[in-house]
Amino acid sequence: MCGFPAPTDTVTARQPRGQERAITGNRQTSWAFADAFVAEDEALRWARDRARDAGLRSVSPGTGAALGMLAATVDAKAVAEIGTGTGVSGIHLLHGMRPDGVLTTVDPEPERQQFARTAFRAAGFAGNRARFIPGRALDVLPRLADGGYDLVFCDGDRTECLDYLAESLRLLRPGGLVCFEGVFADGRTVDSGPQPAEVLRLRELLRAVRESQDLVPSLLPVGDGLLCAVKR
């Protein structure tokens, strides 16, 4: 007979909130399957090749698919992206945005943005669907409009992630989303050994988002970790 375990049965203790459990092989297999679930088109593959040639790390296919789905969920018309790269994440975001939506993407390297322009055109997006701003994110973001964005995607300098969070809260409308890529830092975020400054800053970011009264957070196990939160 099926039912709840008897009081004498052995059951697994519930994990305390906020504590991380060890990652098992089965979970890693599941995450790999999630990354392979969505097929990417030729424009995305071209952008990935350009990133690889430049020594850049692109968002995984699973992370890109999640970004596109989140953009569609909030019916995004205005999205801000920190870290253009060669356009991989931007293509995914644009696929999820409204047909009249505009992606504002910031990167300190203008030559990377030229690759992204080419990739966006190859993906079928009109030139007016993206606004490219070269420059350091913390110099550019203060010039963007308060409450003017539906989603902010952060994939820039990890040591500046707390500053990105503060700017994102200002930029987002109520109900908007902020997303941070790479918060697992190749497993170093949960590693108890000594870690570099960027990993320590990511830990601070995770605590700040989890404890904020202004955000409803979730940590998605896709790619290298996608931290998402809705602004109340």
Side-chain angles (χ1 to χ4, degrees), residues 119-178:
F120 290 176
R121 286 196 301 269
F125 298 111
N128 62 358
R129 293 292 311 279
R131 177 170 61 146
F132 294 89
I133 305 179
R136 180 172 171 264
L138 295 181
D139 294 331
V140 174
L141 296 178
R143 307 203 302 262
L144 304 183
D146 293 6
Y149 292 84
D150 305 298
L151 190 153
V152 178
F153 174 54
C154 305
D155 189 17
D157 185 341
R158 289 173 176 172
T159 64
E160 297 178 342
C161 59
L162 288 171
D163 298 306
Y164 297 160
L165 176 61
E167 286 293 334
S168 297
L169 288 173
R170 179 184 63 80
L171 292 173
L172 286 171
R173 62 166 173 80
L177 272 165
V178 60

Side-chain angles (χ1 to χ4, degrees), residues 39-63:
E40 294 190 325
D41 60 19
E42 185 176 347
L44 275 165
R45 291 193 295 270
W46 183 89
R48 285 193 182 282
D49 288 343
R50 302 294 76 73
R52 191 177 303 111
D53 293 343
L56 299 176
R57 182 170 178 169
S58 302
V59 298
S60 73
T63 300

Side-chain angles (χ1 to χ4, degrees), residues 82-139:
I82 301 170
T84 308
T86 57
V88 175
S89 53
I91 290 176
H92 281 290
L93 287 164
L94 284 164
H95 276 310
M97 294 170 65
R98 291 168 45 168
D100 60 343
V102 175
L103 173 69
T104 297
T105 183
V106 181
D107 198 286
E109 302 293 340
E111 58 270 23
R112 297 177 189 171
Q113 293 187 321
Q114 290 302 321
F115 285 129
R117 288 179 190 273
T118 301
F120 290 176
R121 286 196 301 269
F125 298 111
N128 62 358
R129 293 292 311 279
R131 177 170 61 146
F132 294 89
I133 305 179
R136 180 172 171 264
L138 295 181
D139 294 331

Side-chain angles (χ1 to χ4, degrees), residues 14-26:
R14 184 180 297 275
Q15 187 72 13
R17 182 178 180 183
Q19 295 186 11
E20 297 82 5
R21 288 179 289 187
I23 297 172
T24 67
N26 285 340

